[in-house]
Amino acid sequence: DLSVLQSRMTMHRLYSPRESELKLTPHIDLLHLYRAIWGKSLPNCRLGTLEESILRWKRENDVPGAIVPSLYFAYLQTGDARTLDPILKHNRWDILSMVSLLFFISHEVSHPEDIQEHQRLIQLGHLLNRRGEFQSSKVIADHLLQRNLQRDQQNDALHIGIKAVKSLKQHHLLYPLLH
């Protein structure tokens, strides 16, 4: 949403594009994180899908996100603050979901042995390697290689482990990793 905020700030002449960029950084784009971990194991990474599949939540009496802008424009036209209630409820759900998913990911990074789904553990290992967290990705590779994996999953686990071991300059661990 950073790009949306920047364009809105510029459009309303609150800040120049450069000033809005400075005002809004740093930020975390959680969607990229969610896609990196669950992108291959879920049909999509929409917040509603993540809520149902990961958190086991089902929103009730929530307005679809696509309707939120229309409700806000209705408020701007009429000044009737009641049209803001469903928007605030929807945004509250969004925030609670994102924070809960972030805690969920934090727990999984701290306790990879709790992750039962092989593909999700593989995705987490790749993500940690990309972030330079090689010790953690090595632990994940070790967990994966102790499991009964399909051939392609075993190859992924080996790639995670090899990258981690080489990056940590622990070349003496390559042979045990491969056997």
Side-chain angles (χ1 to χ4, degrees):
D1 292 4
L2 180 63
S3 60
V4 173
L5 291 172
Q6 286 174 324
S7 64
R8 296 273 166 83
M9 291 171 78
T10 302
M11 181 175 61
H12 292 290
R13 299 176 195 257
L14 296 173
Y15 299 101
S16 70
R18 175 79 176 126
E19 289 171 322
S20 67
E21 183 179 318
L22 292 173
K23 295 280 184 190
L24 295 171
T25 54
H27 83 290
I28 300 172
D29 192 338
L30 296 175
L31 180 59
H32 293 295
L33 179 63
Y34 301 155
R35 281 185 181 150
I37 295 174
W38 294 302
K40 290 188 177 180
S41 54
L42 295 175
N44 61 60
C45 285
R46 287 190 212 114
L47 194 53
T49 303
L50 293 170
E51 288 170 356
E52 290 181 28
S53 300
I54 305 300
L55 300 174
R56 306 282 188 238
W57 291 358
K58 179 77 173 147
R59 292 189 190 199
E60 294 183 14
N61 303 321
D62 186 37
V63 297
I67 295 177
V68 168
S70 297
L71 290 171
Y72 183 69
F73 289 126
Y75 161 72
L76 291 177
Q77 289 175 342
T78 65
D80 184 357
R82 291 177 295 179
T83 59
L84 295 177
D85 288 341
I87 296 171
L88 295 173
K89 181 180 176 187
H90 176 85
N91 288 344
R92 188 176 321 122
W93 265 109
D94 284 356
I95 292 167
L96 288 173
S97 296
M98 288 186 283
V99 168
S100 298
L101 288 165
L102 197 55
F103 277 108
F104 190 91
I105 291 170
S106 175
H107 174 79
E108 288 193 338
V109 170
S110 302
H111 304 283
E113 67 278 2
D114 292 348
I115 302 173
Q116 298 303 312
E117 186 183 331
H118 302 319
Q119 188 61 46
R120 196 161 80 224
L121 195 55
I122 288 167
Q123 292 306 114
L124 182 58
H126 284 306
L127 174 67
L128 292 171
N129 267 343
R130 284 193 305 271
R131 294 180 44 86
E133 298 178 34
F134 302 115
Q135 193 62 48
S136 296
S137 62
K138 169 72 170 73
V139 169
I140 286 176
D142 291 341
H143 281 293
L144 282 164
L145 292 170
Q146 293 172 13
R147 297 180 180 192
N148 185 18
L149 301 174
Q150 296 174 2
R151 174 67 112 186
D152 60 331
Q153 292 174 328
Q154 189 172 24
N155 287 339
D156 276 338
L158 284 170
H159 282 108
I160 292 166
I162 290 168
K163 171 135 175 91
V165 166
K166 288 170 80 176
S167 298
L168 292 167
K169 299 185 184 340
Q170 297 176 341
H171 296 89
H172 63 283
L173 296 177
L174 282 173
Y175 183 78
L177 184 69
L178 295 170
H179 293 87

